[in-house]
Amino acid sequence: MTTQPTPEDKFTFGLWTVGWPARDPFGDATRPAVDMVESVHKLAEMGAYGVTFHDDDVFPFGSDTAARDNHVKRFRAALDETGLVVPMVTTNLFTHPVFKEGGLTANDRDVRRFALRKVMRNMDLAAELGAQTYVLWGGREGTEVDMAKDLIAALDRYAEAIDTLAQYSEDRGYGLRFALEPKPNEPRGDIFLPTVGHAIAFISKLQHADLVGINPETGHEQMSNLNFTHGIAEAIWLGKLFHIDLNGQHGPKFDQDLVFGHGDLLQAFSTVDLLENGAPGGGPVYDGPRHFDYKPLRTENIDGVWESALANMELYLSLREKSKAFRADPEVQEALEAARVAELSRPTLNDGESYDQLLADRSAFEDYDLDRARTQGYGFARLQRLAIEHLLGVR
Amino acid sequence: MTTQPTPEDKFTFGLWTVGWPARDPFGDATRPAVDMVESVHKLAEMGAYGVTFHDDDVFPFGSDTAARDNHVKRFRAALDETGLVVPMVTTNLFTHPVFKEGGLTANDRDVRRFALRKVMRNMDLAAELGAQTYVLWGGREGTEVDMAKDLIAALDRYAEAIDTLAQYSEDRGYGLRFALEPKPNEPRGDIFLPTVGHAIAFISKLQHADLVGINPETGHEQMSNLNFTHGIAEAIWLGKLFHIDLNGQHGPKFDQDLVFGHGDLLQAFSTVDLLENGAPGGGPVYDGPRHFDYKPLRTENIDGVWESALANMELYLSLREKSKAFRADPEVQEALEAARVAELSRPTLNDGESYDQLLADRSAFEDYDLDRARTQGYGFARLQRLAIEHLLGVR
Amino acid sequence: MTTQPTPEDKFTFGLWTVGWPARDPFGDATRPAVDMVESVHKLAEMGAYGVTFHDDDVFPFGSDTAARDNHVKRFRAALDETGLVVPMVTTNLFTHPVFKEGGLTANDRDVRRFALRKVMRNMDLAAELGAQTYVLWGGREGTEVDMAKDLIAALDRYAEAIDTLAQYSEDRGYGLRFALEPKPNEPRGDIFLPTVGHAIAFISKLQHADLVGINPETGHEQMSNLNFTHGIAEAIWLGKLFHIDLNGQHGPKFDQDLVFGHGDLLQAFSTVDLLENGAPGGGPVYDGPRHFDYKPLRTENIDGVWESALANMELYLSLREKSKAFRADPEVQEALEAARVAELSRPTLNDGESYDQLLADRSAFEDYDLDRARTQGYGFARLQRLAIEHLLGVR
Amino acid sequence: MTTQPTPEDKFTFGLWTVGWPARDPFGDATRPAVDMVESVHKLAEMGAYGVTFHDDDVFPFGSDTAARDNHVKRFRAALDETGLVVPMVTTNLFTHPVFKEGGLTANDRDVRRFALRKVMRNMDLAAELGAQTYVLWGGREGTEVDMAKDLIAALDRYAEAIDTLAQYSEDRGYGLRFALEPKPNEPRGDIFLPTVGHAIAFISKLQHADLVGINPETGHEQMSNLNFTHGIAEAIWLGKLFHIDLNGQHGPKFDQDLVFGHGDLLQAFSTVDLLENGAPGGGPVYDGPRHFDYKPLRTENIDGVWESALANMELYLSLREKSKAFRADPEVQEALEAARVAELSRPTLNDGESYDQLLADRSAFEDYDLDRARTQGYGFARLQRLAIEHLLGVR
């Protein structure tokens, strides 16, 4: 592909992605863990903008302050050498067995207190490194046995935890925004806040609702066979798309974390189109990092790791170019017009019209020309054909 | 089964359920449509509390006022004779071809105006019949071709429509509460507001958010392989469970609308437990109608229709009894205690504790006994075994 | 797109595809049924090779011989005028309510006898029109209530029916090959022979197993989230790919019947690559019709119908070109070599090697260099990147 | 529950089930591995009949002969002390990184040779311990990148391997029968032989087809949302149900390996009914071990491990009792009669009837009473209600 990624493209990677040692539920690690310093350098060379991390990615679980500081020092040096930034940080509340029954919503209150402390500790580091966004993925918050959990109290505790953390960020002047990451299942049988929608609904009841949004992940929504582009559109509409995790997934199965676009390529196209160009009728566009949360295939050695990292960025850039060409194509514009896409931006009621006026408008109901409406074609087949021609580069 | 349904159980049925003529995408109707008057009488005999309807269930699409009034008169007479009530009403914005590209979010603005009028017309009837809840299922609001719809404008129009309708209800003194019914797909490839979560998130931005909640359907959530009990728990937590549709579904496939419990029986048990007994730690309990939105199998004649209608109610009553026995069982109480279920109702912070105090509590982090926490067992296997013993009646 | 379909490309369409009046489970027809004569002419103009049909597509259910002959005459005239052929024919055993509980496996034996007769009648026509393949889609063969069906006897009856039909074809000199079309569900809750695999396994026990193969449909396998390319590869390996239905689907949901490639585009690429180029190591290639079994979107008028018909063919041709360029690309060849793809064609045992010799080969086990094997990379990330570059036309 | 498991019930467990240390893709082990000797004793106490194992469950990967013999000796002693038998053995071709790209179908031929040797080595032990069945689960045989695998050659190699192993068993006089275990995905993106059907279809081409059958697992079929009872019915019909893995799963998501029945309880009932009582019309019944392949929840300590092991057996026994009561219930028998379930065992053609006679039978087609057929009810709603009453113990 011709386009080279640059920091202006705002591509970021989790340290845990390229660093994944490729252990899976049925197999041992196939690669050594990549040292974070190597990852930072290599990603910088390839044109990335930044990196992100869980506490345990930078310093081992249980590190005391001195050990932690040493690891952080090495990490900062790599950042300084490369110019990579850290726009987002998160906490690992899932690997250690202490979290086997949950972190912020564990039945065991002491586990919850420990979890809160673990998050606060890494928020300090996030602020120190200049992060703007703090992600919370509650992978262990959920159930396999519904009768063993008070589902209402769990949400109370979840809210208590997030409001406490938000208050902490405010009081300390960290200025962090929080982004909840939904996932329907795995590792738990059913995870709380399973989709983009459930997470945003939950946020609406928080005291610090303004500081909290979401970090949707392509594959997590597709694990429920939901349309990811629709999901982020609703999040944008609600002002809650605080961060985004891009990757690939082949429908409802285990979490594949494929390279972005290597699952549903057509939907990846509409995702990039929305992120880069906004809705056809205008409105807010996402301008945060394009964050890849993927896993290099377990069959690959270190060369395949970097190959796949690059593939994420290159595919995104290709889709961006194609989406811009699609929007600019006069035939597409004509087809959008024929499909009356822009008409949806016109309010249903006239400017200043009351429902009484609508009720009085016989052309709206009593005299409405149903025949015309039911026989008209919308020309969506043509639009889809044009979109695919642009995607495949055959126009 | 021993328990007989009575109106106190608040069982309601849509007229379109028992009345379904059993036409499916690959087959013609196998039964004549049941006359609504017969349905009302038969359901009353079996112990139902009420019926619900779309406008087109009571009077054919396109009926003028005189024709409509005649049909309504017959319907009211049946209600009066039987004592059945109409706690919920809804609108059909999906059958007629005019809605092929959407109703309240159609690209064609005239379709949206027509749809609004159709809803308002049936709200008048709903109020007249004393309904408290008005359901909106937007089965045609969605896409197959993402590029052919402004996903942001669609939500604007959806919100405009619902706020207009809510205002109409308020101004007219109808006192209706609105309940959005989420569904992920079918008939559209991807429907807007696909889950309980997406619908509640959407509501949070409405001007009349207080008047709008949801009407979740068992099978619709299970079509995304989501846990229905978790979904309604979140809705209860947010004060948004305004109505409920109970039925059965075998996971992600076409919308089966089986009899309640004839899909995931174990989850039906936790659903009834939550609805009837509330969360273990207390809190609000749903007290609205138990509404069945199911379809009698296409293989059945009219006897099978009534057989299946009864099966919904009887299974619900059985699960209710079993859930009460489960909660009352001393061994279950001991197991819940061992699993620390009640402990989740205790806030994570002590009464009045600040995060500074938590940070200063060395027992919470620095001196925390990780070994105890990671090796403790939660006893969930035992709880599940007990729940299943109650469900199967083998205790 | 630049390439024009021609009859040499062997594209065929079911009359029921472009002719679909767009009635769905929640909505009435949005288009008039297209007359079969118009469909034949239009498809011929666009470059199709042939058409296929159910009996009820050409003459209404219940037609007597005279009426049937008239319809067939009109149809033949259109074929003669256009030169389109009829390589495949099938029977409708699902629309009429008589089949509500099954056709060839109905509990009611009289229904089974009627179904057999209906198939034989249309086999006569198939032979008359020169068809080589007779498809059987058993959409009504299945259950919603497992206890209401003898699952073993059902397979006995299914086998009895197909062997009877095969014998009939042989004795009459029709020379037909039969192709079973698997589908997991819809319209039945669970359909018998739900996947490519189940159908071929079933065939292995038939008396006329040689005459029976399968007609897999892209979307039907994807409704179970199975890899369609893998499925047809196994069918090819077993010599059972007698016919193919190409279309699009977005994972486990209702049967969408989208245009080919408008679901999982990446998998459509590997499907075309396999069909057109065969396995990398050689072996049999499918040379039958490329049959599209899709439904034009319900939002479209007749223009959209033809637009979408063309889209199927054009996309297939684009993928064919791209797959050939992929195979011919020297860098791809090098990557395939590095990934050791061809090595899989080498038997695991040496020519003439016995397992005793393998047991004696210490290099195979005792002295095997595990370290090299576990650390080697397979370069699949690179191959995928190259494939996607070819697909997107960015090389 | 009242019924106690006994060895006559033929319950068996994999050593890897109760022994699972509860490591998952996002979390470290929460329990120490249970020593196999403890597992054997504990399972015997609870009434199990036998245990099964992968080589690596009994002696660590890479053990030399002396080490292996020591481990085997300890294992045999435990068997001798308890009387437990080993009816099935299998090989681990998935945990070690050497198998990251496959075992018997790896592109790397040396890996395939190593895999064959590893299987043969454990077949020796299987024979020594008196096993009758050898299971092969090819969890690593598959792809994430279709272009990186010759899908046809892969099946050639798979067949070569299994025929070689079957020959080895025959020549050595081991008398083993082989059972392939299908799974659609996880750990690979798409696994070869993804369902019961695909595996049996594959077997039909083997030279030693008679020696090879399948080992279906409840959850594996349900991961594709397929009906497990239907799947095993087809396997029984084809004489290929050589072994069975019982567990629980909540539809298409990661492999949950829940306790049997703790997923789809209703389907578990029809599974047990078929296994224990056979088809209503008679025919072969499965008489092999009832093998549980499940994982105790990660939240549990060792008490929960044994609790869950017992739950598998107790639930099976409860379902067995209920299925027998269901079959014996006169009202059920009457309902089965009304549903014409037994009629499906009557051939569609009369004894000795040719298709010519069927063609001549005007009552079968020309004079067939369609009205009666299309209006008749099958009474399936009643049968389902009765089944559920038996299941819930409310009759």
Side-chain angles (χ1 to χ4, degrees), chain A residues 100 108-109 113 117 150 156-157 171 198 205 234 237 281 343-344 347 350 353 355 366 376, chain B residues 100 109 113 117 150 156-157 171 198 205 234 237 281 343-344 347 350 353 355 366 374 376:
Chain A
K100 64 187 171 186
D108 181 337
R109 184 169 173 267
R113 290 174 66 84
R117 286 288 304 273
D150 185 320
D156 282 336
R157 294 295 78 71
D171 293 350
H198 293 78
K205 195 174 165 178
E234 185 172 345
W237 186 72
E343 189 173 323
L344 192 54
N350 298 321
E353 186 183 32
Y355 57 74
E366 292 82 356
Q376 71 182 326
Chain B
K100 63 186 171 184
R109 185 169 173 265
R113 289 173 69 85
R117 286 288 304 273
D150 185 319
D156 281 336
R157 294 294 79 71
D171 292 350
H198 293 78
K205 195 175 165 177
E234 185 173 344
W237 186 71
E343 190 173 321
L344 191 54
N350 298 322
E353 187 182 33
Y355 56 73
E366 292 82 357
R374 75 177 172 77
Q376 72 182 325

Side-chain angles (χ1 to χ4, degrees), chain A residues 34-74:
Chain A
V34 182
D35 183 78
M36 61 182 168
V37 171
E38 184 185 347
S39 293
V40 168
H41 280 273
K42 192 73 189 176
L43 290 168
E45 276 169 38
M46 290 195 292
Y49 166 70
V51 291
T52 68
F53 64 90
H54 306 88
D55 44 0
D56 300 0
D57 301 330
V58 170
F59 47 94
F61 182 96
S63 295
D64 63 17
T65 306
R68 173 178 173 280
D69 289 352
N70 266 336
H71 287 286
V72 171
K73 199 173 159 189
R74 283 187 70 231

